[in-house]
């Protein structure tokens, strides 16, 4: 009988620990629990962005949607001081539209579009070889989850590190539907 009581108590404790709302490691919705190298080589813990509203975007330099860099940079400049971040992840998954080296990608983004938001080293965003961040994004429930289907798919992450919205590649960074959700998460009512 004592062994049963101990087992029940242990199970109860394990259940309480697993449901601890501050323990994001047990929460599949939390997507900032990864480390990834930024352009330049330094490793960035994405958990450093917790407390901010984050837009995660897979980008490419030779895509018909590449001019979205301009809109992304404008959005970043307009809202970064209020706790907004954009994280750019170059990927060569679609039509080989990001064939360059990390150095050439960074040079292109900063030179052609004045990009100053954080850019990460090239990653894979689809299939078995997808980086763990993109595996986590794909594993989200519908309609947010699923692999990106093209460059410039955007995932909006709240201040707690959870994905709350997904925007397709053709949704421009300045689109009202995207900006309104960013502003709502930032707590802006008049932006």
């Amino acid at each position: 009988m004592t062994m049963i009581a101990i087992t029940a108590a242990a199970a109860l404790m394990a259940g309480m620990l697993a449901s601890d709302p501050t323990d994001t490691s047990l929460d599949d919705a939390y997507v900032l629990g990864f480390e990834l190298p930024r352009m330049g080589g330094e490793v960035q813990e994405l958990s450093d962005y917790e407390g901010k509203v984050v837009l995660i975007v897979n980008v490419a330099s030779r895509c018909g949607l590449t001019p979205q860099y301009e809109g992304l940079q404008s959005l970043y400049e307009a809202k970064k001081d209020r706790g907004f971040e954009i994280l750019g992840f170059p990927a060569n998954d679609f039509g080989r539209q990001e064939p360059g080296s990390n150095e050439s990608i960074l040079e292109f983004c900063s030179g052609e579009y004045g990009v100053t938001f954080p850019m990460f080293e090239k990653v894979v965003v689809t299939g078995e070889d997808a980086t763990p961040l993109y595996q986590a994004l794909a594993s989200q429930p519908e309609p947010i989850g699923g692999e990106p289907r093209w460059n410039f798919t955007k995932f909006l992450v709240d201040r707690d590190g959870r994905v709350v919205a997904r925007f397709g590649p053709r949704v421009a960074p300045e689109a009202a539907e995207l900006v309104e959700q960013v502003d709502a998460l930032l707590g802006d009512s008049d932006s």
Side-chain angles (χ1 to χ4, degrees), residues 28-171:
D28 288 340
Y30 184 77
V31 296
L32 297 181
F34 302 98
E35 292 182 346
L36 290 157
R38 287 187 51 179
M39 295 280 186
E42 68 274 12
V43 174
Q44 176 74 56
E45 291 185 30
L46 297 188
S47 61
D48 291 345
Y49 296 107
E50 192 170 317
K52 295 185 177 208
V53 175
V54 178
L55 190 66
I56 296 172
V57 186
N58 62 298
V59 296
S61 301
R62 294 185 182 174
C63 175
L65 301 174
T66 299
Q68 284 193 23
Y69 271 123
E70 185 176 348
L72 290 168
Q73 182 62 30
S74 293
L75 183 64
Y76 177 66
E77 288 174 6
K79 300 185 183 302
K80 68 180 178 178
D81 292 338
R82 290 178 275 170
F84 179 65
E85 289 287 344
I86 294 176
L87 308 182
F89 290 91
N92 198 32
D93 293 45
F94 306 107
R96 296 196 270 286
Q97 295 180 346
E98 190 60 274
S101 67
N102 290 314
E103 294 77 22
S104 67
I105 294 166
L106 185 59
E107 184 178 317
F108 172 80
C109 293
S110 58
E112 292 293 318
Y113 293 100
V115 168
T116 60
F117 55 82
M119 290 289 293
F120 289 78
E121 290 187 359
K122 195 160 49 170
V123 296
V124 174
V125 299
T126 60
E128 291 178 4
D129 295 329
T131 189
L133 168 63
Y134 272 86
Q135 290 176 15
L137 292 168
S139 72
Q140 299 300 302
E142 291 294 333
I144 293 170
E147 292 183 338
R149 292 187 188 100
W150 199 252
N151 304 309
F152 293 90
T153 299
K154 302 156 197 76
F155 294 91
L156 185 60
V157 179
D158 69 12
R159 292 182 187 272
D160 295 322
R162 290 166 178 80
V163 182
V164 296
R166 175 184 176 141
F167 301 94
R170 296 205 179 276
V171 175

